[in-house]
Amino acid sequence: MNRSDKANQIVSPWWRWLLEALFPDKKFDGQFQNPGSEQVFDFDSVMASVDPITTIASDIAYYPEKDKGELFAIFISGLGQHESESSKRSRRYATTLLTGIANMHNSTFLKQRPMIAFINRYLDWINAVLDYLNLSGSPVIENAATLITYAVNNSVNLNLSGDSLGTIFLARAIKIAKRNFICGRARVFDFRERRIQEQKWKQRTSQLINVFTFGNGYRQWVAGPNYIMVFIQGDVLPEKFGITPQRAIKQKRKDIKFLIFPRLFPKGNFESHNMMFTIELLRQTFEKNQIEVGDFASLYNKLNSNTLKIATPDEVSWPSDMKDYAWYPDSLNFIDALSKS
């Protein structure tokens, strides 16, 4: 499906027309996409269906070969990825970890042929800073919040995943979903009832909502869902701006589990933030613990019981095509198995 055909699948509000004309990828902001076929689906149309979660599982989620199709996650990508690039990386994610993936696209300001290249390179980063400070918004946040609210209200299991900027959007979406849940059941000044509903939120989400992030960039995660935060030592985003084990202890957040891999790249190398390397370490961790690849429930249980053995970089059978996913090709020189291939 070409880009114009994809765009025709989306119904945009009139006030976004100029933005989408200037930055074409914004047409897909907050919309669903099947990473396999790269077909896009209008978010509102999907949510208006009789059973949105089933629709996503059957029509939108991409399941790799040899996968049983029993599990899928809604994935919000990181910064600066056009919808085709996001799909490419999500296919890799799904194939490596044998799990279904349905994208909720986090669009970019990047243009292939910009009039002013210098500005083009920095628009995404400027917007990311504004997003981190909560000074701007994205359709991803409201749409993800709507999906979470639906799952909690209808007692439907929902697995969510995010990378980098996508984790910030995901954290904000969960916060909005919690507010929607409580406000829908208690009046503003009925503090007693609001406390009761907050406990119900925690109980329901602990049973229904699972969150799996790569390179998280947010510190204040709403209590309730089950969280696994995955990153490589030296990844500047979680270490400087996100939740870490030390910060979790200060916040008394025993509900947040961490899977932190040993340093792979030298200090200051931003490749540590590239989840394409993280998922290879994660796959090896499944195998090292004799857990079926993609069995995230068993992975969580071992994390919870402090019995999980973390894979080290030298144990990974690195794919020969990692150069196609590296941001800085020279980074591969720091991985012996790849530098010699």
mmCIF file of all heavy atoms in Angstrom, residues 25-26 28 32 73 123 149 157 201 203 222 333:
data_model
loop_
_atom_site.group_PDB
_atom_site.id
_atom_site.type_symbol
_atom_site.label_atom_id
_atom_site.label_comp_id
_atom_site.label_asym_id
_atom_site.label_seq_id
_atom_site.Cartn_x
_atom_site.Cartn_y
_atom_site.Cartn_z
ATOM 1 N N ASP A 25 3.954 12.937 7.658
ATOM 2 C CA ASP A 25 3.864 11.803 8.572
ATOM 3 C C ASP A 25 2.892 12.070 9.714
ATOM 4 O O ASP A 25 2.396 11.133 10.357
ATOM 5 C CB ASP A 25 5.244 11.459 9.132
ATOM 6 C CG ASP A 25 5.278 10.071 9.759
ATOM 7 O OD1 ASP A 25 4.981 9.090 9.043
ATOM 8 O OD2 ASP A 25 5.578 9.960 10.962
ATOM 9 N N LYS A 26 2.579 13.349 9.981
ATOM 10 C CA LYS A 26 1.644 13.699 11.045
ATOM 11 C C LYS A 26 0.229 13.185 10.758
ATOM 12 O O LYS A 26 -0.598 13.114 11.651
ATOM 13 C CB LYS A 26 1.619 15.218 11.238
ATOM 14 C CG LYS A 26 2.875 15.770 11.910
ATOM 15 C CD LYS A 26 2.988 15.267 13.330
ATOM 16 C CE LYS A 26 4.261 15.706 14.005
ATOM 17 N NZ LYS A 26 4.395 15.152 15.373
ATOM 18 N N PHE A 28 -0.529 10.266 10.299
ATOM 19 C CA PHE A 28 -0.664 8.963 10.941
ATOM 20 C C PHE A 28 -0.486 9.023 12.459
ATOM 21 O O PHE A 28 -0.439 7.997 13.121
ATOM 22 C CB PHE A 28 0.366 7.997 10.344
ATOM 23 C CG PHE A 28 0.308 7.940 8.838
ATOM 24 C CD1 PHE A 28 1.282 8.571 8.073
ATOM 25 C CD2 PHE A 28 -0.722 7.285 8.184
ATOM 26 C CE1 PHE A 28 1.229 8.534 6.678
ATOM 27 C CE2 PHE A 28 -0.779 7.252 6.794
ATOM 28 C CZ PHE A 28 0.194 7.874 6.050
ATOM 29 N N PHE A 32 -3.553 3.463 14.398
ATOM 30 C CA PHE A 32 -3.065 2.089 14.442
ATOM 31 C C PHE A 32 -2.405 1.713 13.119
ATOM 32 O O PHE A 32 -2.774 2.217 12.062
ATOM 33 C CB PHE A 32 -4.218 1.120 14.707
ATOM 34 C CG PHE A 32 -4.778 1.185 16.100
ATOM 35 C CD1 PHE A 32 -6.109 1.514 16.318
ATOM 36 C CD2 PHE A 32 -3.976 0.894 17.202
ATOM 37 C CE1 PHE A 32 -6.633 1.561 17.593
ATOM 38 C CE2 PHE A 32 -4.496 0.943 18.491
ATOM 39 C CZ PHE A 32 -5.823 1.275 18.684
ATOM 40 N N ALA A 73 0.957 -6.879 21.853
ATOM 41 C CA ALA A 73 1.096 -5.636 22.602
ATOM 42 C C ALA A 73 0.874 -4.452 21.681
ATOM 43 O O ALA A 73 1.229 -4.491 20.498
ATOM 44 C CB ALA A 73 2.482 -5.546 23.241
ATOM 45 N N LEU A 123 13.521 19.721 14.804
ATOM 46 C CA LEU A 123 12.114 19.874 15.174
ATOM 47 C C LEU A 123 11.634 18.763 16.101
ATOM 48 O O LEU A 123 10.926 19.014 17.083
ATOM 49 C CB LEU A 123 11.238 19.920 13.912
ATOM 50 C CG LEU A 123 11.171 21.267 13.180
ATOM 51 C CD1 LEU A 123 10.377 21.122 11.893
ATOM 52 C CD2 LEU A 123 10.552 22.341 14.074
ATOM 53 N N THR A 149 -8.634 3.148 29.055
ATOM 54 C CA THR A 149 -9.911 3.328 29.746
ATOM 55 C C THR A 149 -10.917 2.279 29.305
ATOM 56 O O THR A 149 -11.635 1.691 30.133
ATOM 57 C CB THR A 149 -10.470 4.744 29.477
ATOM 58 O OG1 THR A 149 -9.530 5.723 29.933
ATOM 59 C CG2 THR A 149 -11.798 4.944 30.204
ATOM 60 N N ASN A 157 -7.916 -7.661 29.121
ATOM 61 C CA ASN A 157 -6.460 -7.598 29.273
ATOM 62 C C ASN A 157 -5.837 -6.778 28.147
ATOM 63 O O ASN A 157 -6.249 -6.879 26.986
ATOM 64 C CB ASN A 157 -5.859 -8.996 29.260
ATOM 65 C CG ASN A 157 -6.154 -9.753 30.543
ATOM 66 O OD1 ASN A 157 -7.083 -10.556 30.590
ATOM 67 N ND2 ASN A 157 -5.385 -9.503 31.570
ATOM 68 N N TRP A 201 -9.133 1.185 40.902
ATOM 69 C CA TRP A 201 -8.268 1.337 39.739
ATOM 70 C C TRP A 201 -7.022 0.462 39.878
ATOM 71 O O TRP A 201 -6.641 -0.264 38.957
ATOM 72 C CB TRP A 201 -7.868 2.807 39.566
ATOM 73 C CG TRP A 201 -6.613 3.011 38.765
ATOM 74 C CD1 TRP A 201 -5.329 3.077 39.248
ATOM 75 C CD2 TRP A 201 -6.496 3.136 37.342
ATOM 76 N NE1 TRP A 201 -4.430 3.259 38.224
ATOM 77 C CE2 TRP A 201 -5.117 3.289 37.046
ATOM 78 C CE3 TRP A 201 -7.407 3.157 36.301
ATOM 79 C CZ2 TRP A 201 -4.638 3.450 35.748
ATOM 80 C CZ3 TRP A 201 -6.935 3.313 34.996
ATOM 81 C CH2 TRP A 201 -5.585 3.459 34.733
ATOM 82 N N GLN A 203 -6.574 -2.189 41.745
ATOM 83 C CA GLN A 203 -6.915 -3.612 41.708
ATOM 84 C C GLN A 203 -7.173 -4.084 40.283
ATOM 85 O O GLN A 203 -6.670 -5.132 39.859
ATOM 86 C CB GLN A 203 -8.146 -3.869 42.580
ATOM 87 C CG GLN A 203 -7.895 -3.674 44.073
ATOM 88 C CD GLN A 203 -9.182 -3.694 44.885
ATOM 89 O OE1 GLN A 203 -10.279 -3.873 44.356
ATOM 90 N NE2 GLN A 203 -9.057 -3.496 46.189
ATOM 91 N N VAL A 222 2.074 5.905 37.153
ATOM 92 C CA VAL A 222 0.876 5.701 37.964
ATOM 93 C C VAL A 222 0.858 4.290 38.530
ATOM 94 O O VAL A 222 1.111 3.309 37.813
ATOM 95 C CB VAL A 222 -0.391 5.959 37.113
ATOM 96 C CG1 VAL A 222 -1.646 5.492 37.846
ATOM 97 C CG2 VAL A 222 -0.494 7.434 36.764
ATOM 98 N N ASN A 333 31.753 -1.608 16.085
ATOM 99 C CA ASN A 333 33.150 -1.955 16.360
ATOM 100 C C ASN A 333 33.356 -2.350 17.820
ATOM 101 O O ASN A 333 34.357 -2.989 18.160
ATOM 102 C CB ASN A 333 34.081 -0.786 16.024
ATOM 103 C CG ASN A 333 34.082 -0.472 14.535
ATOM 104 O OD1 ASN A 333 33.865 -1.350 13.709
ATOM 105 N ND2 ASN A 333 34.318 0.784 14.204
#
